[in-house]
Amino acid sequence: MNVNQSAPPVPPFGQPQPIYPGYHQSSYGGQPGTTAPPTPYGTYNGPVPGYQQTLPQGVSRAPPSSGAPPVSTAQSPCGQAAYGQFGQGDVQNGPSSTVQMQRLPGSQPFGSPLAPVVSQPAVLQPYGPPPTSAQVTAQLAGMQISGAMAPAPPPSGLGYGPPTSLASASGSFPNSGPYGAYPQGQAPSLSQAQSHPGVQPPQRSAPPLASSFTPPASGGPRMPSMTGPLLPGQGFGGPPVSQPNHVSSPPPQALPPGPQMTGPPGPPPPMHSSQQPGYQLQQNGSFGPTRGPQPNFGSPYPGAPTFGSQPGPPQPLPPKRLDPDAIPSPIQVIEDDRNNRGSEPFVTGVRGQVPPLVTTNFLVKDQGNASPRYIRCTSYNIPCTSDMAKQAQVPLAAVIKPLARLPPEEASPYVVDHGESGPLRCNRCKAYMCPFMQFIEGGRRFQCCFCSCINDVPPQYFQHLDHTGKRVDAYDRPELSLGSYEFLATVDYCKNNKFPSPPAFIFMIDVSYNAIRTGLVRLLCEELKSLLDYLPREGGAEESAIRVGFVTYNKVLHFYNVKSSLAQPQMMVVSDVADMFVPLLDGFLVNVNESRAVITSLLDQIPEMFADTRETETVFAPVIQAGMEALKAAECAGKLFLFHTSLPIAEAPGKLKNRDDRKLINTDKEKTLFQPQTGAYQTLAKECVAQGCCVDLFLFPNQYVDVATLSVVPQLTGGSVYKYACFQVENDQERFLSDLRRDVQKVVGFDAVMRVRTSTGIRAVDFFGAFYMSNTTDVELAGLDGDKTVTVEFKHDDRLNEESGALLQCALLYTSCAGQRRLRIHNLALNCCTLLADLYRNCETDTLINYMAKFAYRGVLNSPVKTVRDTLITQCAQILACYRKNCASPSSAGQLILPECMKLLPVYLNCVLKSDVLQPGAEVTTDDRAYVRQLVTSMDVAETNVFFYPRLLPLLIVVKQEDKLEMLFKHFLVEDKSLSGGASYVDFLCHMHKEIRQLLS
């Protein structure tokens, strides 16, 4: 079966498709329509959270004190997509590329303005005009990058341009020492134009370098004077030439005729030999006396003219500065992707398409593969063999978000009801019917696309095939034409062969002294009165089917009977916390509308009842135990909302002690800070999962509460943790209420089991996220909401085929908010490749970083943090070194070459390495680190992108030196050197280059 089929001539399922605003309906191949198709699944509640807002300008700051700021009085011509509009000294974490910014001119050598160097996906050579002697010292800590021009890069994800290259530096970096294999001030010579005199080297469709010299034909001395700017696009040896995306550098004033040099001094390119007669090796742009031969390069030929031996005093050597404009800019990449891919819908009919970036606003048209809102992969082209995968070191993983919320313009998955027979599946591997199944023998049988087993088609499902071998009803059935859809499950898919009851929410409120004193209890009770009207409900339902219950606690637990027939709520106290039980069944879980008066009365009374409490000790594990027992007694799944303030030190199961010890940081015992104190909570979590009891925890600590232990149950049950340190109503009310409203209203699937099936050749081997696994294949989730992801890693177990590709199918069995048992299916077809270049061309850096962060954050549980950091750096270096060795054009070891799709890998990975979990600052607490570690574990790709590389708004705030606010701001300036010792973006690029060179040598 051909999976790359075009859109059908008629809309699927005989229903009109929604019209996307601003798009021509004819491009879909469907009939005109004005309304979205009715969906039995219903719309999701709440606004769509997104990170697609327009990027703000960055926060500007003064130039670095280490030297004069780079001068750029010339600006890019209109319409150029140049990375060089802003330097790192101007804007932190990148500005919006639509805003022009003029730098103040500084001291300029030779009295002429310099234009900013434009970074391109091409080989960049070290070059800089000789500065005044005063600037040598000041600028020694930098590097100069110049650019050899290549055609403009293709839009990210659409194609594959030449690699981005950064020249190595011979200058020193802060805390990094001399960098590279060459002595200070020296670099290998460039032989891009060192052919015979008068011979012009081939350009291979690339325009000439902006910085070019024409050497004297006679071998006479160079003229050192350089005055007057060159017209944009003008070459030194002739009339102006077209140079897209480029701004030229100043020329020499007068040069004798002769062959053009199409590049400044630098390393040799692939197609020319550096041993050409007639020219001595260039001396790094210096004009002083000639130096001896450089390391690893041949000595000058006898009788060759000596360019550097002009009379007069020697001039200082130019430092090679790294121009910040030449470094790949995340903001520019994001803007380019928005401009190139945000205007058209992403149609999923083609196998192995790389989707737009998560920062781009785009619509999805499902034509057989799951939307990237549900599944994103680290690479959409998988190596055919395990040897090739090991060589590349690119992790093969998928970040799956099964219940992702969709924008209103996109229809929710269709629900398919096959009646009592249930969904059609393969007899051998149990995969569900999907668009990639191949029907044979006139439609009487089908071949499984995952295991190749041939199955009979049940009589009630039979349909004839057309002349292409497709069923004639393919576009009327979601499971044969869409990448994502749902099946109604039969009773065989239910616990104890019995359809489930609607789920319940239990609110469990800490009423100890801390919670009352801060005003938390009063604020919460007031909010719940109105919030209970917004419980999640199915599409057309008038009211939610979810029942609610209430518990308060300190050292003992108080259960409340809020039965609708009562005039006032009744309280029952359980003080035997060692043997927890639920003292009432009838009246504990109630319908909100039926018992509204009693619930309102209870919420008014709770703050008054405990207003004078002096009880400071709390329990924790018995509270979760009580909630789970209540759900078990009611024979339903549900969610516990726990509001807790302090370390549970009261005598009870799950009692904890204060074990906070900062002396363990950077030792082998540091990993114990991330591990739970006791195994009791893991046992409790296992029982909760079996019952379908999900736990969401809201923490309000004033001091250490051992988040690493308290978060175990939420983490293993698919729940969430929210933390508000030193909670104050006036400061934190808005954030807390916003989180609470969103958490209560979001659609949740309960009592869920997820399995990922793959076609022959690869298999799922590892899983990351907030869930429990009792075996190696089934991901068990007591609750799963639209924000949670499960990250799955794949490994080869056989050779893959380029023609057939690779297939993934994620099947989620869950109970809806209305108590309906459903199966949600997501399918995705990927390409397979035998060339490493195809792998690197189809990677997605944001998803790669998501996986690597989760891998590292799990690693700190068992390994020293330094080991985890080193592992990440080594893997990144291996990925880039393999690309350099096998895919990039041969070039000097002095260049850092990055694949077009991965040019942001170093900056993003550096952000992960500098995060609080892997490199904490002095102000970061143990609880903060444990909280962030569990938070990232279930984040989707959009969330990790903005979490590790935050977008900053320019605020006109005067921040005093050494102010706490200043430290907070600096924490978000992720491209700068961090206060905790993390490397700056530039330093990390140099470190990464060094690692790559060591691997290649």
Side-chain angles (χ1 to χ4, degrees), residues 194 276 278-283 290-291 300-301 304-308:
Q194 287 176 356
Q276 297 286 357
Y279 285 89
Q280 188 184 1
L281 296 173
Q282 290 292 334
Q283 296 283 337
T290 183
R291 297 193 298 271
Y301 279 85
T306 308
F307 290 123

PDB file of all heavy atoms in Angstrom, residues 194 276 278-283 290-291 300-301 304-308:
ATOM      1  N   GLN A 194      44.709  29.800  -3.530  1.00  0.00           N
ATOM      2  CA  GLN A 194      46.140  29.672  -3.729  1.00  0.00           C
ATOM      3  C   GLN A 194      46.440  28.708  -4.857  1.00  0.00           C
ATOM      4  O   GLN A 194      47.113  27.708  -4.709  1.00  0.00           O
ATOM      5  CB  GLN A 194      46.802  29.215  -2.418  1.00  0.00           C
ATOM      6  CG  GLN A 194      46.832  30.339  -1.381  1.00  0.00           C
ATOM      7  CD  GLN A 194      47.386  29.850  -0.069  1.00  0.00           C
ATOM      8  OE1 GLN A 194      47.661  28.679   0.054  1.00  0.00           O
ATOM      9  NE2 GLN A 194      47.557  30.749   0.879  1.00  0.00           N
ATOM     10  N   GLN A 276      50.568  24.856  -3.594  1.00  0.00           N
ATOM     11  CA  GLN A 276      50.588  25.388  -4.949  1.00  0.00           C
ATOM     12  C   GLN A 276      51.821  26.250  -5.139  1.00  0.00           C
ATOM     13  O   GLN A 276      52.142  27.067  -4.279  1.00  0.00           O
ATOM     14  CB  GLN A 276      49.341  26.246  -5.201  1.00  0.00           C
ATOM     15  CG  GLN A 276      48.036  25.469  -5.108  1.00  0.00           C
ATOM     16  CD  GLN A 276      47.815  24.568  -6.300  1.00  0.00           C
ATOM     17  OE1 GLN A 276      48.611  24.558  -7.225  1.00  0.00           O
ATOM     18  NE2 GLN A 276      46.754  23.798  -6.267  1.00  0.00           N
ATOM     19  N   GLY A 278      54.319  29.228  -6.379  1.00  0.00           N
ATOM     20  CA  GLY A 278      54.154  30.632  -6.732  1.00  0.00           C
ATOM     21  C   GLY A 278      53.630  31.497  -5.605  1.00  0.00           C
ATOM     22  O   GLY A 278      53.665  32.705  -5.707  1.00  0.00           O
ATOM     23  N   TYR A 279      53.104  30.889  -4.505  1.00  0.00           N
ATOM     24  CA  TYR A 279      52.583  31.696  -3.410  1.00  0.00           C
ATOM     25  C   TYR A 279      53.110  31.160  -2.092  1.00  0.00           C
ATOM     26  O   TYR A 279      53.093  29.968  -1.856  1.00  0.00           O
ATOM     27  CB  TYR A 279      51.045  31.642  -3.365  1.00  0.00           C
ATOM     28  CG  TYR A 279      50.424  32.458  -4.447  1.00  0.00           C
ATOM     29  CD1 TYR A 279      50.174  31.877  -5.686  1.00  0.00           C
ATOM     30  CD2 TYR A 279      50.082  33.786  -4.256  1.00  0.00           C
ATOM     31  CE1 TYR A 279      49.594  32.618  -6.704  1.00  0.00           C
ATOM     32  CE2 TYR A 279      49.503  34.515  -5.262  1.00  0.00           C
ATOM     33  CZ  TYR A 279      49.272  33.921  -6.479  1.00  0.00           C
ATOM     34  OH  TYR A 279      48.692  34.648  -7.476  1.00  0.00           O
ATOM     35  N   GLN A 280      53.536  32.077  -1.241  1.00  0.00           N
ATOM     36  CA  GLN A 280      53.888  31.653   0.102  1.00  0.00           C
ATOM     37  C   GLN A 280      52.619  31.609   0.942  1.00  0.00           C
ATOM     38  O   GLN A 280      51.665  32.308   0.670  1.00  0.00           O
ATOM     39  CB  GLN A 280      54.876  32.642   0.722  1.00  0.00           C
ATOM     40  CG  GLN A 280      55.411  32.129   2.056  1.00  0.00           C
ATOM     41  CD  GLN A 280      56.305  33.138   2.719  1.00  0.00           C
ATOM     42  OE1 GLN A 280      56.474  34.210   2.164  1.00  0.00           O
ATOM     43  NE2 GLN A 280      56.868  32.813   3.843  1.00  0.00           N
ATOM     44  N   LEU A 281      52.633  30.771   1.976  1.00  0.00           N
ATOM     45  CA  LEU A 281      51.470  30.674   2.842  1.00  0.00           C
ATOM     46  C   LEU A 281      51.176  32.030   3.476  1.00  0.00           C
ATOM     47  O   LEU A 281      52.075  32.712   3.940  1.00  0.00           O
ATOM     48  CB  LEU A 281      51.724  29.643   3.953  1.00  0.00           C
ATOM     49  CG  LEU A 281      51.904  28.217   3.434  1.00  0.00           C
ATOM     50  CD1 LEU A 281      52.325  27.311   4.556  1.00  0.00           C
ATOM     51  CD2 LEU A 281      50.635  27.735   2.800  1.00  0.00           C
ATOM     52  N   GLN A 282      49.890  32.380   3.508  1.00  0.00           N
ATOM     53  CA  GLN A 282      49.508  33.663   4.084  1.00  0.00           C
ATOM     54  C   GLN A 282      49.726  33.652   5.596  1.00  0.00           C
ATOM     55  O   GLN A 282      49.622  32.625   6.244  1.00  0.00           O
ATOM     56  CB  GLN A 282      48.032  33.939   3.774  1.00  0.00           C
ATOM     57  CG  GLN A 282      47.781  34.244   2.311  1.00  0.00           C
ATOM     58  CD  GLN A 282      48.375  35.558   1.902  1.00  0.00           C
ATOM     59  OE1 GLN A 282      48.547  36.432   2.720  1.00  0.00           O
ATOM     60  NE2 GLN A 282      48.722  35.698   0.638  1.00  0.00           N
ATOM     61  N   GLN A 283      49.984  34.834   6.139  1.00  0.00           N
ATOM     62  CA  GLN A 283      50.343  34.922   7.547  1.00  0.00           C
ATOM     63  C   GLN A 283      49.220  35.551   8.386  1.00  0.00           C
ATOM     64  O   GLN A 283      49.438  36.537   9.066  1.00  0.00           O
ATOM     65  CB  GLN A 283      51.616  35.757   7.678  1.00  0.00           C
ATOM     66  CG  GLN A 283      52.819  35.121   7.013  1.00  0.00           C
ATOM     67  CD  GLN A 283      53.388  33.995   7.848  1.00  0.00           C
ATOM     68  OE1 GLN A 283      53.178  33.954   9.039  1.00  0.00           O
ATOM     69  NE2 GLN A 283      54.080  33.080   7.228  1.00  0.00           N
ATOM     70  N   THR A 290      57.721  38.305   8.149  1.00  0.00           N
ATOM     71  CA  THR A 290      57.217  36.943   7.960  1.00  0.00           C
ATOM     72  C   THR A 290      57.577  36.066   9.144  1.00  0.00           C
ATOM     73  O   THR A 290      58.613  36.244   9.774  1.00  0.00           O
ATOM     74  CB  THR A 290      57.804  36.346   6.669  1.00  0.00           C
ATOM     75  OG1 THR A 290      57.245  35.062   6.481  1.00  0.00           O
ATOM     76  CG2 THR A 290      59.320  36.211   6.743  1.00  0.00           C
ATOM     77  N   ARG A 291      56.668  35.125   9.437  1.00  0.00           N
ATOM     78  CA  ARG A 291      56.941  34.161  10.503  1.00  0.00           C
ATOM     79  C   ARG A 291      57.337  32.833   9.880  1.00  0.00           C
ATOM     80  O   ARG A 291      57.200  32.619   8.682  1.00  0.00           O
ATOM     81  CB  ARG A 291      55.687  33.968  11.365  1.00  0.00           C
ATOM     82  CG  ARG A 291      55.247  35.221  12.082  1.00  0.00           C
ATOM     83  CD  ARG A 291      54.212  34.871  13.131  1.00  0.00           C
ATOM     84  NE  ARG A 291      53.011  34.291  12.502  1.00  0.00           N
ATOM     85  CZ  ARG A 291      52.004  35.023  12.077  1.00  0.00           C
ATOM     86  NH1 ARG A 291      52.035  36.327  12.196  1.00  0.00           N
ATOM     87  NH2 ARG A 291      50.957  34.450  11.541  1.00  0.00           N
ATOM     88  N   PRO A 300      57.141  27.134   3.076  1.00  0.00           N
ATOM     89  CA  PRO A 300      57.036  27.827   1.790  1.00  0.00           C
ATOM     90  C   PRO A 300      57.968  27.216   0.755  1.00  0.00           C
ATOM     91  O   PRO A 300      59.021  26.681   1.078  1.00  0.00           O
ATOM     92  CB  PRO A 300      57.455  29.254   2.142  1.00  0.00           C
ATOM     93  CG  PRO A 300      57.291  29.371   3.622  1.00  0.00           C
ATOM     94  CD  PRO A 300      57.507  27.998   4.171  1.00  0.00           C
ATOM     95  N   TYR A 301      57.541  27.277  -0.499  1.00  0.00           N
ATOM     96  CA  TYR A 301      58.394  26.784  -1.581  1.00  0.00           C
ATOM     97  C   TYR A 301      59.602  27.695  -1.765  1.00  0.00           C
ATOM     98  O   TYR A 301      59.503  28.902  -1.580  1.00  0.00           O
ATOM     99  CB  TYR A 301      57.597  26.727  -2.893  1.00  0.00           C
ATOM    100  CG  TYR A 301      56.753  25.509  -2.972  1.00  0.00           C
ATOM    101  CD1 TYR A 301      55.488  25.497  -2.385  1.00  0.00           C
ATOM    102  CD2 TYR A 301      57.200  24.353  -3.600  1.00  0.00           C
ATOM    103  CE1 TYR A 301      54.690  24.375  -2.430  1.00  0.00           C
ATOM    104  CE2 TYR A 301      56.410  23.229  -3.658  1.00  0.00           C
ATOM    105  CZ  TYR A 301      55.149  23.248  -3.071  1.00  0.00           C
ATOM    106  OH  TYR A 301      54.373  22.125  -3.129  1.00  0.00           O
ATOM    107  N   ALA A 304      59.701  31.402  -3.523  1.00  0.00           N
ATOM    108  CA  ALA A 304      58.372  32.020  -3.528  1.00  0.00           C
ATOM    109  C   ALA A 304      58.471  33.433  -2.996  1.00  0.00           C
ATOM    110  O   ALA A 304      59.274  33.723  -2.130  1.00  0.00           O
ATOM    111  CB  ALA A 304      57.427  31.211  -2.661  1.00  0.00           C
ATOM    112  N   PRO A 305      57.654  34.337  -3.525  1.00  0.00           N
ATOM    113  CA  PRO A 305      57.695  35.717  -3.033  1.00  0.00           C
ATOM    114  C   PRO A 305      57.273  35.789  -1.581  1.00  0.00           C
ATOM    115  O   PRO A 305      56.400  35.045  -1.160  1.00  0.00           O
ATOM    116  CB  PRO A 305      56.702  36.455  -3.930  1.00  0.00           C
ATOM    117  CG  PRO A 305      55.822  35.393  -4.474  1.00  0.00           C
ATOM    118  CD  PRO A 305      56.656  34.155  -4.564  1.00  0.00           C
ATOM    119  N   THR A 306      57.864  36.666  -0.842  1.00  0.00           N
ATOM    120  CA  THR A 306      57.568  36.799   0.576  1.00  0.00           C
ATOM    121  C   THR A 306      56.654  37.996   0.776  1.00  0.00           C
ATOM    122  O   THR A 306      57.083  39.123   0.645  1.00  0.00           O
ATOM    123  CB  THR A 306      58.880  36.994   1.359  1.00  0.00           C
ATOM    124  OG1 THR A 306      59.759  35.950   0.991  1.00  0.00           O
ATOM    125  CG2 THR A 306      58.621  36.957   2.850  1.00  0.00           C
ATOM    126  N   PHE A 307      55.367  37.703   1.099  1.00  0.00           N
ATOM    127  CA  PHE A 307      54.399  38.796   1.204  1.00  0.00           C
ATOM    128  C   PHE A 307      54.616  39.643   2.436  1.00  0.00           C
ATOM    129  O   PHE A 307      54.317  40.803   2.461  1.00  0.00           O
ATOM    130  CB  PHE A 307      52.975  38.226   1.244  1.00  0.00           C
ATOM    131  CG  PHE A 307      52.547  37.642  -0.059  1.00  0.00           C
ATOM    132  CD1 PHE A 307      52.144  36.334  -0.129  1.00  0.00           C
ATOM    133  CD2 PHE A 307      52.581  38.400  -1.216  1.00  0.00           C
ATOM    134  CE1 PHE A 307      51.743  35.792  -1.336  1.00  0.00           C
ATOM    135  CE2 PHE A 307      52.184  37.857  -2.415  1.00  0.00           C
ATOM    136  CZ  PHE A 307      51.772  36.548  -2.483  1.00  0.00           C
ATOM    137  N   GLY A 308      55.117  39.032   3.501  1.00  0.00           N
ATOM    138  CA  GLY A 308      55.095  39.725   4.773  1.00  0.00           C
ATOM    139  C   GLY A 308      56.360  40.481   5.102  1.00  0.00           C
ATOM    140  O   GLY A 308      56.522  40.920   6.228  1.00  0.00           O
TER     141      GLY A 308
END
